[in-house]
Amino acid sequence: MIKKLIRKILGTKNKGGRDANTPVVLGPQEHGIEPRLLSSNAVRVTSTLQEAGFEAFVVGGAVRDLLLGVKPKDFDIATNATPEQVRKLFRRAFIIGKRFQIVHVMFGQDLLEVTTFRGTTSDSAPKDEHGRVLRDNTFGSQAEDAVRRDFTINAMYYNPANEQVLDYHGGVEDIRGKTLRIIGQPEARFREDPVRMLRVVRFAAKLKFTIEPATAAPIAVMAPLINNVPAARVFDEMLKLLMSGQALACLQQLRKEGLHHGLLPLLDVVLEQPLGVKFVTLALDSTDARIAAGKTVSPGFLFASLLWHQVLEKWTAYRAAGELPIPALHFAADDVLDSQTEKLALQRKIGSDMRDIWSMQPRFERRNGKSPHKLLEHPRFRAGYDFLLLRCGSGEIDAELGEWWTAFYEGDEATRDDLVANVGRAPEGAKKKRAPRRGGRGKAAIVGGTGNPDGEGE
């Protein structure tokens, strides 16, 4: 209470010495937002709240994207209405959250998140021994809500009714300067929520913005604090990072800032090995291309690709110890998934998809009899096949295997029967190639992949 009174009397200064309690108000001519980029449901939510006597604004990343001329994927709404008051205004609205309650408003399959303006963090709010805020359900004013947001570019409010942008912390200026700047004192903000360090990386890579020096300075030292964040939150942020459309750039930025340790163990080692970096690069480039084209991406395929060389290393070790290839692969997959589930809280469905993709790889080497036809009927065949092509493309295994399966997959029944009957035979007049050894250690070669990492047909 005393802190609020002092801020009211003295004001809170932000970058440039401006009073952070008073926003800069920009009209349509100044901010240039195209109203047609707004979701009709977002306008519907804000207008419903305003007609009921409340303040309501599109907020955060949606405003940032609108200012960049990009149609936002998601629209968040901020209001001075309490969660219970919001819930009563909409037919399909659900209050969720423990740390801070929010309302999900549904229109068909379209979900909009409505949050009540948050107040400044109380010194008495529960924290862990490292200073991370565990629970803080304080409501407040719009100015206090802006202070609580992480970066200046995410702390702006847009009112569809009058088409005005309210900017408390110089977010418009930072967007125009392509600068990523945290609000407040960086060390304190990162300590409150270490996931903000991952968000810095994601936004910098995705938007191609430069991290402001004072914001970047403490990251390398404070990176270990991420180990104290619940695994489910780390997984959610990693998934956003990998599906940002700039996945490879994000991983490179993670390494640059020293944030990769513990998130994907051994990833740094993999990216320093020629075959490993080529395989991961192909997988992430394919993912980025699909996202840019508006296509779906399977998290299972993505994580199977990132962790494959850990599986491959353990698979090789188990076989060297005398295990048969198939059991050895299952043991290797178990080891990797067990370690990753603890670190990243991999969902059961994602882990199951990863295991299916990995376990199919030795089966692609069986091209006699009924085996190819049976494998073609596997519900995850397309994902396994695309994964095989990544292995061929990286030079891990012989390109001939991928070429044979492409012909088999695309051929009619007669073509498939002919391919099976002639498997391993060299074309007439050509020198017969040696078949790759079991376990995927054949001749390095390059083959073009399908670029379809979700494992579904076009």
Side-chain angles (χ1 to χ4, degrees):
M1 191 71 179
I2 295 175
K3 285 186 177 182
K4 290 184 179 180
L5 181 62
I6 292 173
R7 276 193 293 270
K8 187 173 181 181
I9 296 173
L10 299 179
T12 303
K13 301 295 182 181
N14 62 11
K15 121 178 136 67
R18 191 175 67 225
D19 182 2
N21 289 317
T22 306
V24 170
V25 180
L26 296 90
Q29 299 301 318
E30 297 166 293
H31 58 65
I33 288 176
E34 286 282 352
R36 61 182 175 80
L37 294 177
L38 265 79
S39 155
S40 60
N41 288 328
V43 175
R44 182 176 172 183
V45 171
T46 56
S47 62
T48 299
L49 286 163
Q50 290 167 357
E51 288 167 6
F54 300 109
E55 299 175 21
F57 302 83
V58 175
V59 69
V63 182
R64 178 197 69 226
D65 290 346
L66 289 168
L67 287 166
L68 290 168
V70 177
K71 185 175 180 62
K73 290 183 178 179
D74 302 299
F75 286 86
D76 294 339
I77 311 298
T79 179
N80 61 348
T82 66
E84 191 58 39
Q85 288 171 328
V86 174
R87 187 188 65 79
K88 290 179 180 179
L89 290 174
F90 301 95
R91 187 172 61 86
R92 295 184 64 204
F94 312 93
I95 297 176
I96 66 166
K98 293 181 179 179
R99 179 178 169 184
F100 188 87
Q101 288 190 328
I102 61 178
V103 182
H104 281 174
V105 179
M106 303 289 297
F107 297 99
Q109 296 300 311
D110 192 12
L111 183 152
L112 288 91
E113 194 168 278
V114 182
T115 59
T116 304
F117 294 144
R118 294 171 295 178
T120 51
T121 303
S122 168
D123 289 339
S124 62
K127 300 180 178 70
D128 67 13
E129 65 272 24
H130 304 286
R132 181 173 65 89
V133 176
L134 300 175
R135 188 171 63 256
D136 186 10
N137 294 324
T138 306
F139 299 140
S141 66
Q142 186 182 61
E144 290 174 322
D145 186 77
V147 170
R148 286 286 300 271
R149 295 189 179 269
D150 46 14
F151 308 112
T152 60
I153 63 171
N154 291 338
M156 293 173 286
Y157 304 78
Y158 178 71
N159 185 349
N162 58 18
E163 298 184 28
Q164 289 183 340
V165 169
L166 279 59
D167 181 5
Y168 284 87
H169 297 279
V172 172
E173 180 183 343
D174 281 343
I175 282 178
R176 290 170 180 167
K178 296 187 178 299
T179 301
L180 195 59
R181 186 191 315 271
I182 202 164
I183 296 170
Q185 207 272 340
E187 289 89 345
R189 300 308 304 279
F190 290 144
R191 195 173 294 279
E192 285 175 0
D193 186 0
V195 168
R196 287 176 179 144
M197 290 184 279
L198 299 181
R199 287 168 61 81
V200 166
V201 168
R202 175 160 60 90
F203 288 131
K206 179 180 179 179
L207 302 174
K208 296 181 172 60
F209 277 24
T210 300
I211 302 174
E212 184 252 344
T215 299
I219 292 178
V221 175
M222 302 185 76
L225 291 179
I226 292 175
N227 294 327
N228 305 315
V229 177
R233 281 202 69 210
V234 175
F235 174 78
D236 287 344
E237 191 57 39
M238 282 298 295
L239 201 54
K240 291 177 183 177
L241 184 148
L242 293 169
M243 294 190 169
S244 65
Q246 297 290 335
L248 187 58
C250 283
L251 287 185
Q252 291 170 338
Q253 189 79 35
L254 279 177
R255 295 180 70 200
K256 179 182 177 183
E257 303 297 341
L259 288 168
H260 57 289
H261 296 298
L263 296 175
L264 291 170
L266 302 180
L267 180 60
D268 201 37
V269 176
V270 168
L271 290 176
E272 290 174 357
Q273 298 171 350
L275 289 183
V277 70
K278 190 160 190 176
F279 183 89
V280 170
T281 299
L282 284 172
L284 296 181
D285 281 348
S286 179
T287 297
D288 291 345
R290 287 188 63 80
I291 290 172
K295 298 177 180 178
T296 58
V297 174
S298 162
F301 187 97
L302 193 52
F303 279 102
S305 301
L306 290 174
L307 299 174
W308 171 242
H309 277 75
Q310 294 179 39
V311 174
L312 193 60
E313 181 181 348
K314 291 180 179 293
W315 187 19
T316 302
Y318 275 118
R319 282 182 295 163
E323 289 288 350
L324 294 173
I326 300 301
L329 179 56
H330 288 308
F331 290 143
D334 287 342
D335 289 349
V336 171
L337 286 173
D338 287 346
S339 66
Q340 289 301 325
T341 298
E342 181 180 351
K343 290 288 184 181
L344 283 176
L346 286 169
Q347 299 165 11
R348 182 175 297 179
K349 171 67 166 62
I350 292 176
S352 176
D353 288 347
M354 293 165 66
R355 192 184 297 277
D356 282 347
I357 290 168
W358 292 335
S359 64
M360 270 190 277
Q361 299 312 301
R363 295 179 63 185
F364 282 109
E365 296 179 16
R366 301 176 187 167
R367 292 180 281 171
N368 295 310
K370 299 291 185 182
S371 293
H373 296 277
K374 290 180 179 178
L375 185 55
L376 197 62
E377 295 172 359
H378 193 292
R380 296 288 294 162
F381 169 81
R382 184 60 189 264
Y385 163 72
D386 287 339
F387 196 86
L388 173 74
L389 294 182
L390 286 180
R391 296 175 65 206
C392 294
S394 70
E396 178 196 327
I397 56 177
D398 199 312
E400 184 272 334
L401 185 61
E403 291 166 355
W404 188 94
W405 274 101
T406 297
F408 186 83
Y409 175 61
E410 296 176 351
D412 56 22
E413 285 302 318
T415 300
R416 291 173 181 174
D417 290 342
D418 186 59
L419 284 165
V420 171
N422 291 285
V423 67
R425 295 182 185 176
E428 189 174 339
K431 185 177 179 180
K432 184 175 180 180
K433 289 185 179 179
R434 181 181 177 182
R437 288 179 290 174
R438 295 184 66 80
R441 303 182 72 77
K443 181 181 175 182
I446 304 299
V447 67
T450 64
N452 186 15
D454 66 352
E456 298 175 2
E458 295 301 324

